[in-house]
Structures are given as structure tokens and as C-alpha cells.
Amino acid sequence: MKKILITGAAGFLGSHLCDRFIKEGYKVFGMDNFITGDAKNIAHLSNNPDFEFIDHDVTKHIDFEGDLDYILHFASPASPIDYLKIPIQTLKVGSLGTHNLLGLAKAKDARILIASTSEIYGDPLVHPQTEDYYGNVNTIGPRGVYDEAKRFQESITMAYHTFHGVETRIVRIFNTYGPRMRLNDGRVIPAFMGQALRGEDLTVFGDGSQTRSFCYVDDQVEGIYRLLLSDYSHPVNIGNPHEISIRDFAEEIIKLTGTTQKVIYKDLPVNDPMQRQPDITLAKKILGWEPKVDRAEGMKITFDYFKSLTEDELYKSEHKDFTGFIK
Ligand code: NAD
Ligand code: UDP
């Protein structure tokens, strides 16, 4: 049985990856310190003999007994308001945490895949974004703590590959959504769906002309799975190229949820990227991968998930009025 360590296991993507690798017949070790994750996301695995949970902060030295075949490093705050709230931890998990996991991969002779992001392109001047674009990031802006941690993460990963011969993979993940996102994490999909469910107006930031391209979680997990098993060590974009403006997206959510609320406009957060769309030519070519779930289908599944949450979860919106990003 192949053994895989997945960091960020109690988070949105990490928990889906645990499920996928268990399904593929792996023994999965999930590691998390719950800083933005939720034990509920992996509760269904608690009695599964193929799953073991390790409560650990990856920025601290990692002792792991026994052998390992693969590591997926997904631990990191991922929503803009999370990383504004915990900027130092965000920098540490991308730098010190990644260093620890690369060291572990080297010691165990394991292949490691790290979760990078479309944020390394910053507010992109090239559209759609191809892997050879270097990006446009404000190092000292509010998003800099995340973007630069992820850029450093890519650099140190390539250095371990080049200088230590570690087998590395780098996925640049574009906005991904689905069940198990935290309703109060401030990202646009849980934000709009939570507002619709609570009977609040939908808050569009800026004039809503900025664009995003949303990828359903099952497609993302499939891309990551294929990349891990490929022999490609340079970064690969995984995302859904179907682009939409946030203003049009709010209208879509109003139709889907049947809410009678309206859209209201708030200030645009500092350095909010104005457009984002992955060029997935490379993923198609080397992984034979492309997304299969269209937005209407994925959003419906996601809304059904949010509808199933308890009243407590629905109203526990610690970030509701968070305006730290506003100038
Ligand atoms: P998430 O917040 O749901 O999950 C992150 C998990 O990492 C949480 O469970 C958190 O508790 C854990 N964690 C954070 N710091 C830790 C530490 N020091 N030690 C141990 N565990 C720690 O976020 P997500 O959306 O699932 O994102 C997972 C990964 O994917 C992140 O690395 C993120 O940067 C990357 N990513 C996600 C998206 C997306 O759209 N979801 C886009 C780009 C990149
Ligand atoms: N956004 C918005 N209203 C909200 C939350 C987010 O208009 O209540 C916008 C945000 O300004 C950004 C887009 O939606 O332009 C996507 O934001 P998210 O935080 O989901 O992801 P990211 O900016 O990291 O792509």
C-alpha cells in the first residue's frame, strides 16, 4: 500500500484529496493544526483504517516514523481575509512549512507536490495567464504575505529539485470551489451563498467588472492527482478557463438561490486582481486533463451543501464586516 502525507487535511481541498487517495487505495496520513480548517471535514474518516490524523503545525519540525511515498503540501490559509488576519502564519507556512516538508521528502525519498496558486501572477498583465508569465505582485501590499510566500515556496521547491534531486511537482491552483468551503471564509462563493441564505444583500466589491474563473473541486482534485503521478516538475496551471465578471456572477447566484435580495456595491479591496483566467494548454497536453463540471452544475451541488448547514454555522460569520483590505 502506497503511503501519502497530506498537509492541510482538515481544510477544503486537503479533505477532498484525502478522500480521493483513500479511494485510490493509498494509506493516507492527514496533518493539520486547524488554524483555518475544520475537524468536521474529515470526521467521516475517523474510523477508516486507511486514514491517520496527525495534529501538527507544519512550521515546526516534523517527525514522521516509517516510510512515505508521496507528500501533498496543502497547508496554508487560502482566503484573502484569512491571510490578512494571520499574515505571519501565512508567510511561515509557505516558507518554513515548505522547507520542513521538502526536508522530509528528501529524507524519505518521497515525491512531493506543493499547492501554489494563481496569486503568484498577482494582478496579471498577461491574459489568460500562462505558466511562463512571471507575474505582477505588490510585495508589501495586503496580499503580499500570501503571494510572496507562495512564490518563495515555488523557488525553494525547484531548488530542492535541482540541488537535492527531490522529485517535486508544483500545481498553480486557480479559484476552486465546492462543498466543505468555510461559509465564513470571505471568499466570494461562500460569501454570496451565505448572504442569500441569511436573506442579506450580496456585496459586490468595486464595480464588479473584475473577473474570476471558477473550477469545481472534483476537477481540481483530478488535475492534482494526474500531476502528482506525471513526470513533470515545472509549474502547471489547474483551473477552469470559463471566466465571468463578479457582477454577472452575483446575478447568477441570485437566480440559483432564488433570493429576493439585491446586489450592493462596496469598496474594492487593495490589489484585488482585475482579471484571472487560466491558460490550461499545458495541463491538457501533459496530463490529458480538462475540467468536466460546468459552473451551473458545480454551483448547484455547492449551494445544496451550504443549505444543509445548521443555523449556528450559517450565522457564525466572524468575517462579515471585515474591512481590513479597504484603503
Ligand atoms: P483551507 O483554509 O480550507 O485549508 C487549509 C488548511 O491548512 C486548513 O485546514 C488549515 O488549518 C491548514 N493549515 C494552515 N496552516 C497550517 C500549519 N501551519 N500547519 C498545519 N496545518 C495548517 O484552504 P483551501 O482552499 O483548502 O486551500 C488549500 C491549499 O490550496 C492552500 O495551500 C492554498 O493556498 C491552495 N490554493 C487553494 C485555492 C482555492 O481556490 N481553494 C486556490 C489557490 C491555491
Ligand atoms: N468579492 C466580492 N464580494 C465578496 C467577496 C469577494 O465582490 O463578498 C470579490 C473579490 O473582491 C474578488 C472576487 O470576488 O474580486 C474573488 O474573491 P475571492 O476572495 O473569492 O478570491 P480571490 O480574490 O483570491 O480570487
Side-chain angles (χ1 to χ4, degrees):
M1 207 175 190
K2 296 271 187 208
K3 292 183 184 169
I4 186 165
L5 171 67
I6 302 181
T7 75
F12 161 53
L13 286 179
S15 64
H16 284 281
L17 287 163
C18 290
D19 290 345
R20 175 63 188 264
F21 280 87
I22 288 170
K23 200 169 139 222
E24 298 290 343
Y26 288 65
K27 166 86 184 184
V28 174
F29 297 87
M31 186 175 281
D32 208 293
N33 68 349
F34 299 110
I35 193 164
T36 61
D38 191 336
K40 191 183 151 190
N41 291 337
I42 44 170
H44 61 289
L45 299 176
S46 59
N47 293 320
N48 190 320
D50 297 337
F51 182 73
E52 217 168 284
F53 183 72
I54 306 163
D55 187 346
H56 185 71
D57 177 346
V58 301
T59 67
K60 309 274 190 324
H61 181 78
I62 303 166
D63 276 320
F64 188 93
E65 274 185 31
D67 50 325
L68 267 178
D69 299 289
Y70 300 104
I71 298 174
L72 296 181
H73 180 29
F74 277 68
S76 171
S79 110
I81 51 178
D82 280 347
Y83 49 80
L84 186 64
K85 216 173 152 197
I86 44 173
I88 313 293
Q89 288 94 328
T90 302
L91 282 157
K92 282 171 72 176
V93 74
S95 53
L96 306 180
T98 304
H99 188 208
N100 287 337
L101 286 150
L102 286 164
L104 184 66
K106 180 166 155 263
K108 303 286 181 190
D109 202 14
R111 182 180 296 177
I112 179 169
L113 179 147
I114 60 125
S116 186
T117 166
S118 51
E119 280 285 320
I120 66 106
Y121 301 120
D123 189 5
L125 305 175
V126 164
H127 192 75
Q129 292 80 57
T130 44
E131 287 86 351
D132 56 6
Y133 175 49
Y134 294 163
N136 176 35
V137 171
N138 175 4
T139 57
I140 57 165
R143 300 173 88 102
V145 293
Y146 180 68
D147 301 6
E148 291 301 334
K150 292 290 185 180
R151 290 169 69 94
F152 173 85
Q153 184 182 45
E154 290 197 3
S155 304
I156 191 170
T157 299
M158 280 314 289
Y160 265 70
H161 177 68
T162 310
F163 295 102
H164 290 312
V166 173
E167 279 200 58
T168 57
R169 305 286 179 268
I170 300 174
V171 58
R172 289 187 182 152
I173 300 169
F174 282 66
N175 297 65
T176 299
Y177 70 95
R180 303 188 195 151
M181 292 187 93
R182 218 169 76 239
L183 190 67
N184 57 10
D185 83 357
R187 286 185 272 192
V188 69
I189 293 170
F192 285 173
M193 290 191 176
Q195 287 162 343
L197 286 168
R198 290 188 298 265
E200 297 166 0
D201 291 334
L202 272 61
T203 52
V204 167
F205 297 160
D207 64 4
S209 62
Q210 72 272 30
T211 67
R212 293 296 185 272
S213 309
F214 298 108
C215 181
Y216 187 63
V217 62
D218 289 357
D219 285 330
Q220 184 61 244
V221 164
E222 180 64 30
I224 292 164
Y225 180 74
R226 289 189 192 200
L227 178 60
L228 178 71
L229 299 185
S230 78
D231 58 5
Y232 194 79
S233 56
H234 281 241
V236 179
N237 290 340
I238 298 287
N240 188 324
H242 193 179
E243 186 181 8
I244 186 171
S245 74
I246 296 300
R247 189 174 44 222
D248 290 349
F249 184 58
E251 294 301 335
E252 258 189 32
I253 300 279
I254 286 174
K255 281 206 191 80
L256 167 71
T257 59
T259 176
T260 51
Q261 304 298 312
K262 59 182 189 311
V263 167
I264 54 167
Y265 291 88
K266 294 209 164 183
D267 288 344
L268 188 69
V270 178
N271 297 145
D272 197 290
M274 288 314 291
Q275 50 182 5
R276 184 180 288 154
Q277 183 192 35
D279 182 317
I280 58 164
T281 310
L282 184 64
K284 279 185 184 164
K285 188 168 150 223
I286 62 162
L287 308 176
W289 174 89
E290 61 183 326
K292 300 260 183 291
V293 182
D294 70 20
R295 201 168 53 237
E297 186 188 350
M299 287 298 163
K300 188 177 173 317
I301 301 168
T302 308
F303 185 54
D304 287 345
Y305 168 77
F306 285 128
K307 270 198 297 197
S308 75
L309 298 181
T310 63
E311 286 275 299
D312 268 7
E313 288 167 319
L314 186 57
Y315 285 94
K316 194 180 78 184
S317 285
E318 72 224 46
H319 292 310
K320 222 161 109 188
D321 298 316
F322 198 81
T323 51
F325 263 107
I326 309 300
K327 269 181 244 177

